[in-house]
Amino acid sequence: TRRNHFSQKGQRPHMFVIFPKPVCLTSYCFFLFVSLQMFLAALSFAYFSKALSGSYMKSTITQLERRFDIPSYLIGIIDGSFEIGNLLVIAFVSYFCAKLHRPKIIAIGCILMSFGTFLIAMPHFIIGRYKIETSIRSSVNSTNNLSPCPASSPESLRAGDRPFILPSRGCEKESSVSMWIYVLVGNILRGIGETPVQPLGISYIDDYAQSDNAALYIGCVQTISIIGPVFGYLLGSLCAKIYVDIGYVDMETITITPGDARWVGAWWLGYLIAGAITLMSAVPFWFLPKSLPVPVEKHDTNCTPEQTRFIKDSPGLKHMFRPEEPANLHLMAKFVPTLKSLLGNPVYTIYLCVTIVQFNSLIGMVTYKPKYIEQHYGQSASKANFLMGMINIPAVALGMFSGGVVMKKYKLTIMGAAKFAFGTSLLGYFLSLLFFAMGCENAKVAGITVSYSGLGGLSYQEQSLISDCNSDCSCTSREWDPVCGENGITYVSPCLAGCSSSTGSGKNTVFNNCKCLTAANTQPGNLTATLGQCPHRDSCEKVFPYFLAMSVLSSFIISLGGTPGFMLLSCLIPHYFICCNTAGIPAPIYFGAIIDTTCLKWGYKMCGGRGACRIYDTSAYRIVYLGLTLGLRTVSFFLCILGFVLIKRHIRKEEKHVLTNGSAELETLRKEENSSIHCEQFILALDCNPDRETRL
């Protein structure tokens, strides 16, 4: 290398690479190509791993609820903690880490993500074995079972409930530390580690790739990241089938199935797998250089025409090393006044509000959609995750790809992209209204949704579980060990079903002489009950395929506007991460809190206190979940219309203003209005002229 002899006084000299031989030039070009391709492959793998672990977290919310006996709003706090981790370091990463060794910063981020994922799985190894909430008590002789309906003592009859066993010392120790805190902290670490991957990775490609190839490379990375959620939900489906304590317990003694509300899958196993994959994604970044030679079209604009001509005409000078500028506080100082000027613009503020409301609706809906499929249509967690991974996510990916094709083919303008995104979102909204008609009735549960005589319209209270048919038994109304009677009604426990004996063992246990079944059946005789809830009615099974088909169609149509909407967001809002974090933190929390209000029967912890929900009011669940999702989108549509009106008024006002100042400025304004979306030039213009940014 040698110093540039064309450097002018007061300018920083540039470093040019001189290759005296064609062989060296070939080797150098090969080095450039391989280094950039290695970075592209490593970044794609990092995107895949972070998308996989993020979607796997979504797939395990019901497993975590049941394992730690916590309500949905706490799961929402855990899920939103990822964005809290983002917020803690996003400003530092965006304004300072870009001047450091970006590949190594990304590697450190991947290691942090991996460590956080492993930390999430750690409670499984310290909390002890999972104890199933059950009222079945086996005798010493394993071939015989005691009566599910023990004789009542006068004390128990007066108390109206069977006394609980006092908590042991081990229980006190276990309850002194909330194990879900480990999951919360681990997810925050995942958020901190994920922060540098996207901004630093995309900026690295944008800096050192040819301008013609940069968009293609970024598109490839984004495409690979879409595959991550598919594998994440499929991994969640696989792990949900496996019992949580697999390898430590005899599966013959487990009396519940994956469709039971008490079933907990091997949630920890997926986090170990995801953590290992994330850790592997950090390795390649350690071997990549801090910087690569910059293509000639991206060289410093301070170069004189003679310097530029020298670079282009000299053999081997196709790339130039751009000196790294030190990080300074000037960029941070510009951020606050620029954001303040933007927020003073009503069009920008309305668009920001629209985006935040839309993200709230999207994140809340996606977070609890597997749970909605489980609770409303009676599907297991494994099947719900499988359907999300194999049907919904591919439909979203196809929609986003198709939206990009539409943008390119028709060369949509900024206003055209906004209208296209609005139209597809509105059409998907009308299709989503059909979900209200695709509902299922509440499951028939004696003492909760129907009376013991089989009549509906019951208002549930804990005392309603006790009836004449089981009053002779010392039953507790707090346990959840459902059995399905021959009459098609589910009973909370064999004791509350009035069963006096049982035969068989394990999953094949059958309860006999159940008095409460006789109360709802006019035919006398030995009526039996089997373990587990009664299956949903045939009508619910028939409507489920239509729900899936409509879900795929609406997801595809809404995603059509995803790419134009994202491009518009990234162009008009350089600080668009505000929208994601503003929605990602509160949405899972208040969605979960509202879903908790529809719970009919709560479980109870081994050490006392309310646990996870066992059964929901299906109709109320559908109304609050769909109503909140679509209600937020309704608000966003009204804000969108207001934004369009303000934009039209602004354009007319500008046209009237420039008519008095000449036609040249009018022509410029129209070009700005009808220009295609070129985000790089648009953002550069905004950065150079804050006044013009506010005006646009």
Side-chain angles (χ1 to χ4, degrees):
T1 62
R2 66 181 177 85
R3 289 193 179 274
N4 174 22
H5 61 280
F6 286 117
S7 297
Q8 298 177 352
K9 185 178 180 181
Q11 290 185 349
R12 180 182 297 178
H14 300 284
M15 302 298 292
F16 298 102
V17 182
I18 303 298
F19 293 97
K21 296 181 180 179
V23 176
C24 295
L25 177 61
T26 304
S27 302
Y28 173 71
C29 293
F30 179 75
F31 165 76
L32 292 179
F33 177 79
V34 170
S35 296
L36 191 58
Q37 299 305 310
M38 282 182 60
F39 182 84
L40 184 65
L43 187 64
S44 299
F45 189 34
Y47 263 64
F48 170 81
S49 63
K50 75 183 184 70
L52 183 146
S53 59
S55 57
Y56 183 75
M57 165 64 77
K58 301 286 187 185
S59 73
T60 58
I61 60 170
T62 55
Q63 311 293 311
L64 296 175
E65 279 184 24
R66 297 167 185 173
R67 185 62 186 96
F68 299 112
D69 272 324
I70 55 178
S72 294
Y73 83 90
L74 276 182
I75 284 293
I77 294 176
I78 292 173
D79 187 76
S81 63
F82 181 84
E83 276 71 26
I84 294 176
N86 278 164
L87 283 177
L88 291 176
V89 295
I90 186 65
F92 176 79
V93 168
S94 299
Y95 288 94
F96 295 102
C97 290
K99 303 303 179 183
L100 304 176
H101 198 304
R102 282 177 283 185
K104 287 188 177 180
I105 296 295
I106 295 174
I108 294 172
C110 291
I111 292 174
L112 272 177
M113 280 196 294
S114 175
F115 180 73
T117 308
F118 288 138
L119 184 62
I120 293 174
M122 192 176 71
H124 171 74
F125 302 98
I126 61 178
I127 198 174
R129 301 289 168 258
Y130 177 55
K131 298 178 178 65
I132 301 172
E133 181 186 357
T134 180
S135 59
I136 300 176
R137 296 155 294 169
S138 299
S139 63
V140 178
N141 185 354
S142 61
T143 59
N144 297 318
N145 289 329
L146 294 174
S147 170
C149 177
S152 300
S153 63
E155 292 79 6
S156 63
L157 285 175
R158 285 193 297 268
D161 207 348
R162 188 175 57 194
F164 285 96
I165 300 175
L166 292 176
S168 62
R169 292 181 180 178
C171 179
E172 292 174 358
K173 180 180 179 181
E174 178 181 324
S175 63
S176 64
V177 179
S178 296
M179 292 292 109
W180 61 269
I181 295 294
Y182 290 93
V183 183
L184 178 73
V185 175
N187 209 31
I188 292 176
L189 287 177
R190 281 187 58 247
I192 294 174
E194 189 265 351
T195 304
V197 176
Q198 179 172 345
L200 299 188
I202 297 301
S203 66
Y204 194 91
I205 293 176
D206 189 59
D207 285 347
Y208 302 118
Q210 298 283 347
S211 297
D212 296 339
N213 297 332
L216 175 64
Y217 291 159
I218 294 173
C220 291
V221 172
Q222 297 286 358
T223 302
I224 294 296
S225 68
I226 296 176
I227 303 176
V230 175
F231 283 88
Y233 278 106
L234 291 180
L235 180 62
S237 175
L238 175 63
C239 293
K241 286 183 180 179
I242 306 172
Y243 187 65
V244 59
D245 292 323
I246 186 71
Y248 296 96
V249 296
D250 182 8
M251 293 303 297
E252 294 295 328
T253 63
I254 304 301
T255 60
I256 59 176
T257 61
D260 196 286
R262 296 162 296 171
W263 176 272
V264 176
W267 59 274
W268 53 273
L269 181 60
Y271 286 109
L272 294 181
I273 295 173
I277 293 174
T278 307
L279 185 61
M280 288 190 294
S281 70
V283 175
F285 291 104
W286 291 104
F287 302 98
L288 292 169
K290 178 181 179 181
S291 60
L292 294 173
V294 182
V296 64
E297 65 268 18
K298 293 184 178 180
H299 69 79
D300 198 336
T301 55
N302 292 328
C303 291
T304 64
E306 291 80 6
Q307 292 174 332
T308 304
R309 193 178 306 112
F310 175 77
I311 297 170
K312 291 182 178 179
D313 296 340
S314 300
L317 297 185
K318 298 299 181 183
H319 292 78
M320 173 180 71
F321 282 99
R322 180 169 59 197
E324 295 288 341
E325 297 179 2
N328 56 68
L329 295 175
H330 177 65
L331 292 174
M332 183 67 77
K334 277 183 62 180
F335 174 79
V336 175
T338 301
L339 184 61
K340 184 178 179 180
S341 64
L342 283 172
L343 293 177
N345 184 284
V347 176
Y348 179 91
T349 304
I350 288 176
Y351 188 77
L352 186 66
C353 293
V354 168
T355 309
I356 291 174
V357 173
Q358 286 273 16
F359 269 112
N360 270 268
S361 175
L362 175 65
I363 293 174
M365 183 269 293
V366 171
T367 301
Y368 293 100
K369 189 169 186 177
K371 182 173 181 175
Y372 177 75
I373 294 175
E374 291 177 50
Q375 299 296 332
H376 196 76
Y377 296 101
Q379 306 297 321
S380 65
S382 176
K383 187 173 181 180
N385 290 328
F386 179 81
L387 293 173
M388 285 288 293
M390 290 302 294
I391 297 179
N392 271 82
I393 302 299
V396 171
L398 181 61
M400 294 184 69
F401 175 79
S402 302
V405 172
V406 170
M407 280 192 65
K408 182 177 181 180
K409 183 176 180 179
Y410 295 100
K411 298 180 181 180
L412 296 180
T413 64
I414 294 177
M415 186 64 78
K419 291 179 179 179
F420 181 74
F422 177 80
T424 55
S425 182
L426 188 62
L427 179 57
Y429 170 82
F430 286 126
L431 289 176
S432 299
L433 291 175
L434 297 176
F435 289 140
F436 283 103
M438 299 178 184
C440 295
E441 297 179 358
N442 281 322
K444 289 187 175 183
V445 182
I448 296 180
T449 60
V450 296
S451 65
Y452 277 88
S453 60
L455 300 177
L458 181 67
S459 179
Y460 170 68
Q461 295 179 351
E462 194 167 321
Q463 294 80 4
S464 62
L465 292 173
I466 306 299
S467 181
D468 294 338
C469 59
N470 56 32
S471 58
D472 294 337
C473 306
S474 179
C475 301
T476 174
S477 58
R478 293 195 167 191
E479 288 178 343
W480 177 260
D481 190 21
V483 292
C484 178
E486 289 184 15
N487 56 2
I489 297 177
T490 299
Y491 296 85
V492 173
S493 68
C495 181
L496 290 171
C499 303
S500 58
S501 63
S502 63
T503 57
S505 60
K507 296 179 182 178
N508 300 318
T509 302
V510 177
F511 300 94
N512 304 307
N513 300 317
C514 301
K515 300 177 184 178
C516 294
L517 273 70
T518 306
N521 197 324
T522 57
Q523 298 179 355
N526 178 23
L527 295 179
T528 62
T530 56
L531 287 173
Q533 284 184 253
C534 295
H536 279 63
R537 292 184 174 183
D538 293 338
S539 58
C540 191
E541 293 292 335
K542 291 178 181 178
V543 78
F544 184 57
Y546 294 101
F547 167 81
L548 290 179
M550 190 58 63
S551 177
V552 170
L553 181 60
S554 61
S555 297
F556 172 78
I557 292 176
I558 293 173
S559 301
L560 275 175
T563 301
F566 178 79
M567 294 297 293
L568 186 65
L569 179 63
S570 60
C571 286
L572 295 180
I573 305 179
H575 323 288
Y576 70 93
F577 66 86
I578 298 175
C579 303
C580 301
N581 290 305
T582 305
I585 296 174
I589 300 175
Y590 65 75
F591 264 80
I594 293 177
I595 288 173
D596 284 337
T597 62
T598 66
C599 183
L600 292 176
K601 179 74 171 69
W602 291 94
Y604 288 87
K605 299 178 182 180
M606 297 295 294
C607 305
R610 196 175 75 174
C613 186
R614 299 307 185 193
I615 184 172
Y616 290 89
D617 185 336
T618 304
S619 300
Y621 194 123
R622 180 177 73 254
I623 292 172
V624 300
Y625 173 73
L626 296 177
L628 186 57
T629 301
L630 298 177
L632 288 171
R633 287 166 64 184
T634 303
V635 173
S636 71
F637 290 142
F638 283 111
L639 290 173
C640 260
I641 295 172
L642 179 60
F644 283 132
V645 171
L646 289 177
I647 289 174
K648 289 296 183 183
R649 286 183 180 178
H650 177 74
I651 292 174
R652 292 194 189 99
K653 183 179 178 181
E654 288 290 329
E655 288 179 348
K656 290 180 180 178
H657 174 72
V658 298
L659 281 175
T660 59
N661 298 333
S663 60
E665 191 175 349
L666 177 61
E667 185 67 23
T668 302
L669 181 65
R670 287 174 177 172
K671 286 182 178 180
E672 287 178 352
E673 178 187 356
N674 297 319
S675 62
S676 298
I677 296 180
H678 298 290
C679 289
E680 183 177 350
Q681 292 86 345
F682 189 72
I683 293 173
L684 285 174
L686 298 184
D687 290 339
C688 295
N689 192 344
D691 294 334
R692 184 170 180 269
E693 179 178 0
T694 305
R695 173 170 158 265
L696 289 175

